Amino acid sequence: PLEGMRGVGPNPLALCKAWLTLNGKLVESIFFNYVGTIAAAVGPLVVVPIYVNELGKSQWGLMSIVLTIVALLLMVDGGLGQVLLREFALRSRAHGRSSPELQILWLSCRTLYNSLALVFGAILVLASSWIARHWLNLGTDIDKDEATQVLMLCGLLVAVQLFAASPRGLLLAVDLYRP
């Protein structure tokens, strides 16, 4: 029945195909967003008892502190990654990807991220001994030197993640807003 309608206005078959393609991507995105949200909610419920069983309560407590410190220090980004993504996309579309304006944006954000990484990583590495000895109540299960080493590694982890945060946002911007 659609074959006889050729030449009369827009091709209904092409419109239907375009609509299904657009909505297929939308449905796929919604599906994977729900899967990711469910996995993020159910994952800890499954994994935490395994961690506690394998590590013991003291080791799990130290790991929880490290994860909390990492999460708190990564919030230093303060949404800058999202702003960078938007600005990079808008400026690359308006001025081209090799424009001086885009290079200045890239360099200033890299400088900020690298400075944050160095400052917060160094603070955590330098304060790790004090945190392990005076802030944490380690008891006899965990050696204070071991806790200090774990906190130093935590500082390095935060620094590396902040170093990587800026390029990750720009790569996402290039991929999402490709002309």
Side-chain angles (χ1 to χ4, degrees):
L2 294 176
E3 293 293 327
M5 297 181 67
R6 285 188 186 171
V8 181
N11 184 352
L13 193 56
L15 287 174
C16 184
K17 188 175 181 180
W19 186 84
L20 287 174
T21 303
L22 177 66
N23 283 335
K25 288 181 182 178
L26 179 65
V27 169
E28 181 182 349
S29 294
I30 290 171
F31 172 75
F32 283 113
N33 278 332
Y34 274 114
V35 168
T37 302
I38 290 168
V42 173
L45 296 175
V46 173
V47 173
V48 168
I50 296 170
Y51 273 139
V52 172
N53 187 37
E54 292 297 318
L55 294 175
K57 290 181 182 178
S58 298
Q59 296 287 339
W60 168 248
L62 184 59
M63 184 175 167
S64 296
I65 289 169
V66 166
L67 292 174
T68 302
I69 291 171
V70 168
L72 289 173
L73 288 179
L74 288 179
M75 284 193 296
V76 165
D77 176 73
L80 183 62
Q82 294 299 316
V83 172
L84 177 61
L85 188 144
R86 180 182 175 279
E87 287 300 315
F88 188 84
L90 290 174
R91 291 179 190 200
S92 67
R93 189 173 272 174
H95 303 287
R97 289 191 181 150
S98 60
S99 70
E101 202 174 293
L102 214 55
Q103 292 173 0
I104 291 170
L105 176 66
W106 165 252
L107 287 175
S108 60
C109 288
R110 280 305 308 158
T111 303
L112 179 63
Y113 272 94
N114 291 347
S115 300
L116 289 173
L118 286 173
V119 167
F120 285 106
I123 288 172
L124 191 52
V125 166
L126 294 173
S128 61
S129 178
W130 182 85
I131 292 171
R133 296 185 194 294
H134 301 290
W135 187 55
L136 300 180
N137 185 12
L138 296 174
T140 58
D141 294 345
I142 300 175
D143 183 44
K144 292 185 187 323
D145 291 332
E146 181 184 344
T148 299
Q149 290 175 348
V150 168
L151 290 169
M152 285 179 166
L153 290 173
C154 175
L156 292 175
L157 175 66
V158 167
V160 167
Q161 287 188 344
L162 283 173
F163 274 124
S166 180
R168 192 173 48 237
L170 289 179
L171 289 174
L172 184 59
V174 168
D175 188 48
L176 286 179
Y177 299 102
R178 192 177 303 151

